[in-house]
Amino acid sequence: MTEPLLTPVLDDDGAPFWGYAAQGELRIQACADCGELRFPPRPCCPHCRSFGSEWRRMSGLGRVWSYVVPHPPLLPAYAALAPYNAIVVELTEAPHIRLVGNLVTAPGAPLDSFPPDRIRIGARVRVVFGGEGLPQWVLDGRS
Amino acid sequence: MPGIKDATAVVGIGQTPFAKQLPESEKTLACRAILAALDDAGIAPSEVDGLASYTMEETDEVEVAKAVGLGDLTFFSKVGYGGGGSCATVAHLAAAVATGQATVGVAWRSRKRGSGPRPWKNTTVQLPTPAQWTRPFGLLRPADEIGMLARRYMHEYGATRDHLFNVALACRNRANQNPAAMMYERPLTREMYMTSRWISEPLCLFDNCLETDGALACVIVSAERARDCRQRPVYVHSAAQGLPAQHHGMVNYWNDDPLTGPAWTAARHLWKHADFTPDDVDVAQIYDAFTPLVPLSLEGYGFCGRGEGAAYTEGGALEIGGRLPLNTGGGGLSEAYVHGFNLINEGVKQLRGTSTAQVPGAATCLVTAGEGVPTSAILLRN
Ligand SMILES: [Zn+2]
């Protein structure tokens, strides 16, 4: 009955990220010349202006940088799950690279699966991939 | 180098009523506000040769000019980034008039955000960047995007919901003095704030601006011409836009310091060209689509240090008689949300001495546009 959740609207710069994500890999664009990571992806390196880039595999480990718990009014598909969490994760190997996502209980679990009152800034998280090709985050049990 | 300092003045302001729903179209409301501002200035519409508005403004220059009977236009500009463009409309006209590109400029904004659609509900015009990195995860609305920065701000600096309440309360108290404000007869209490419904935790209903139908306009002419106008001139002392290096708009999560936004960039330029400092500002109109934008802006524009914006709001600092009375018409939170244009007109009223919450002897006013997006600001003086 409800509409589906939104899927990423791809552009030339972002398409490789989603292609790797569909294969279960978290890769971030890096400059092929100076090596600096950059996100969101873009055609040219803001550090050395090189147009060469590569997609570097990341460990998938990070920490919760911030989070919100949206409540209605929302798009119908999201309202049906509210309150849910949306988080920003900073990657362990590159803290200035931050990804928006959802903290869930298991790969493929819905946006509202993790209790909002248990989310903490600084919590260690690990990327997982559900069925939709979107990266999700679970608490990292090794911490 | 000749600049724009005090070279131009706002000599007319106009506005329509503000309401959740007005029967007239945005175009009609725009015409009414513009004609009211010109009448306030005592300038005939046929003398207008410059226009400025927002890229989000639906009524274009052709429609406005032919409807209200403007003269031949020689300067017209539109500024992007929603509420970030408010003060830049005045700044562009000030620059145009100061450099001879126009002689009478009108800036305006008309919007039926109260009865019209919410922009974030439109899923067909999602920009690939940055929306692909945020919207699928349910970060859908400006309140969610700013809420993310607000949570981090609260975490880093010990800011609390009481600090955000101080902002909401100051705006509401001023609206309660302003018969034109949507919240004129609606006092706010701490109890109401703390028990209101969430919009996007940590932001509740009262941390969010109003949804308003309404329009406003103002008239800018040279300082020389201003002396002959009907109203006391309010001079544009300094003006700036701000788009910081590696800034990402409201989803500013991807640089080294996401909590240092466009206000800092605009402020550096603004104060560099001003004869006075933040300590000399008598009254401020700070863009308040969301309460956390106020402490961030207080820091950015130099009223306090980094991380001190929340504490700055304590002890009634933002109230009349406080350290920095702000949003004296009620602001976007409690007067009307028309992309910040009411903040410009309220700044003019303060320096004319005609505000409904007048700061005694106010001679300088800072007006800012939206923090968290490419922004703009002006310093007004009388
Ligand atoms: Zn490079």
Side-chain angles (χ1 to χ4, degrees):
Chain A
M1 282 296 284
T2 51
E3 298 165 38
L5 300 181
L6 298 174
T7 53
V9 177
L10 273 54
D11 60 6
D12 289 347
D13 297 325
F17 177 95
W18 299 110
Y20 289 117
Q23 301 166 36
E25 294 183 1
L26 181 67
R27 287 183 183 258
I28 298 293
Q29 188 185 34
C31 177
D33 286 292
C34 76
E36 286 277 346
L37 292 163
R38 62 181 188 259
F39 190 89
R42 66 205 77 161
C44 179
C45 172
H47 307 284
C48 76
R49 283 80 193 181
S50 166
F51 283 79
S53 70
E54 61 194 20
W55 287 82
R56 197 175 297 163
R57 181 92 186 249
M58 310 304 287
S59 69
L61 300 177
R63 287 174 180 270
V64 174
W65 183 81
S66 189
Y67 66 98
V68 290
V69 182
H71 293 248
L74 291 156
L75 296 174
Y78 292 87
L81 295 168
Y84 57 87
N85 71 75
I87 63 174
V88 169
V89 175
E90 53 182 14
L91 299 185
T92 301
E93 61 258 72
H96 63 292
I97 301 292
R98 305 185 186 94
L99 299 171
V100 176
N102 306 107
L103 186 56
V104 296
T105 51
L111 271 54
D112 62 345
S113 57
F114 195 94
D117 59 0
R118 286 186 47 213
I119 304 172
R120 295 288 179 269
I121 287 177
R124 292 175 190 275
V125 293
R126 174 169 53 85
V127 75
V128 294
F129 292 87
E132 306 293 325
L134 289 185
Q136 298 180 300
W137 302 87
V138 295
L139 287 182
D140 182 21
R142 285 168 289 183
S143 62
Chain B
M1 183 186 68
I4 64 164
K5 185 191 294 179
D6 303 329
T8 65
V10 180
V11 293
I13 54 174
Q15 68 190 51
T16 67
F18 304 129
K20 179 73 179 167
Q21 181 157 20
L22 293 175
E24 295 186 317
S25 69
E26 284 188 354
K27 188 193 295 186
T28 303
L29 295 172
C31 293
R32 289 194 186 282
I34 289 167
L35 288 174
L38 287 164
D39 185 58
D40 183 54
I43 292 176
S46 58
E47 290 191 69
V48 174
D49 55 6
L51 287 177
S53 191
Y54 304 54
T55 56
M56 285 180 75
E57 173 67 26
E58 296 281 342
T59 306
D60 67 25
E61 298 91 343
V62 171
E63 295 301 317
V64 164
K66 71 186 185 193
V68 302
L70 303 184
D72 294 344
L73 299 183
T74 57
F75 179 91
F76 31 98
S77 84
K78 289 208 170 160
V79 187
Y81 308 102
S86 62
C87 294
T89 63
V90 173
H92 285 199
L93 290 175
V97 169
T99 55
Q101 307 303 302
T103 56
V104 177
V106 173
W108 88 95
R109 179 73 171 114
S110 176
R111 197 179 192 205
K112 296 189 74 169
R113 178 65 177 79
S115 58
R118 292 168 165 148
W120 55 265
K121 283 200 168 176
N122 188 335
T123 57
T124 61
V125 296
Q126 289 182 68
L127 298 174
T129 291
Q132 65 184 311
W133 311 112
T134 58
R135 297 201 85 199
F137 306 102
L139 202 70
L140 300 175
R141 307 161 297 182
D144 304 315
E145 297 169 347
I146 294 297
M148 193 72 83
L149 294 174
R151 173 91 67 184
R152 182 70 195 188
Y153 180 85
M154 295 163 89
H155 172 81
E156 282 198 23
Y157 299 121
T160 67
R161 293 192 66 214
D162 265 303
H163 292 121
L164 303 183
F165 167 66
N166 290 341
V167 173
L169 181 65
C171 290
R172 183 60 62 95
N173 286 342
R174 299 297 81 71
N176 294 157
Q177 297 175 257
N178 174 10
M182 290 176 74
M183 294 294 133
Y184 174 51
E185 293 178 312
R186 306 268 293 275
L188 176 67
T189 65
R190 185 174 181 279
E191 167 80 8
M192 287 165 65
Y193 177 91
M194 290 297 172
T195 58
S196 71
R197 65 187 172 90
W198 295 113
I199 300 297
S200 192
E201 298 174 53
L203 302 184
C204 72
L205 178 66
F206 295 110
D207 293 311
N208 289 258
C209 62
L210 303 171
E211 296 178 316
T212 305
D213 284 6
L216 302 103
C218 70
V219 182
I220 291 108
V221 299
S222 70
E224 189 174 33
R225 169 94 190 247
R227 285 190 281 273
D228 300 324
C229 288
R230 192 176 281 169
Q231 301 287 351
R232 178 182 187 178
V234 172
Y235 297 97
V236 180
H237 182 68
S238 181
Q241 290 182 266
L243 168 51
Q246 296 297 314
H247 175 68
H248 299 271
M250 266 189 286
V251 287
N252 193 39
Y253 314 137
W254 301 304
N255 57 40
D256 291 340
D257 186 7
L259 297 179
T260 301
W264 276 257
T265 300
R268 275 192 293 274
H269 187 86
L270 195 72
W271 296 120
K272 188 171 113 184
H273 294 276
D275 292 344
F276 55 92
T277 71
D279 283 344
D280 305 314
V281 170
D282 296 323
V283 57
Q285 315 296 333
I286 306 285
Y287 193 91
D288 58 346
F290 305 100
T291 54
L293 301 183
V294 171
L296 286 169
S297 297
L298 291 171
E299 297 173 19
Y301 287 99
F303 293 98
C304 57
R306 177 78 193 271
E308 296 172 358
Y312 188 97
T313 68
E314 294 171 3
L318 311 183
E319 305 283 343
I320 299 294
R323 187 147 53 142
L324 185 68
L326 59 73
N327 300 7
T328 44
L333 287 163
S334 283
E335 182 189 28
Y337 184 65
V338 194
H339 262 158
F341 211 109
N342 52 320
L343 298 172
I344 297 171
N345 282 14
E346 175 61 20
V348 173
K349 290 173 192 172
Q350 280 288 346
L351 300 190
R352 286 179 177 181
T354 61
S355 170
T356 50
Q358 184 62 41
V359 173
T364 57
C365 181
L366 168 70
V367 187
T368 76
E371 169 59 359
V373 291
T375 195
S376 53
I378 49 177
L379 287 172
L380 301 174
R381 55 164 286 263
N382 60 18

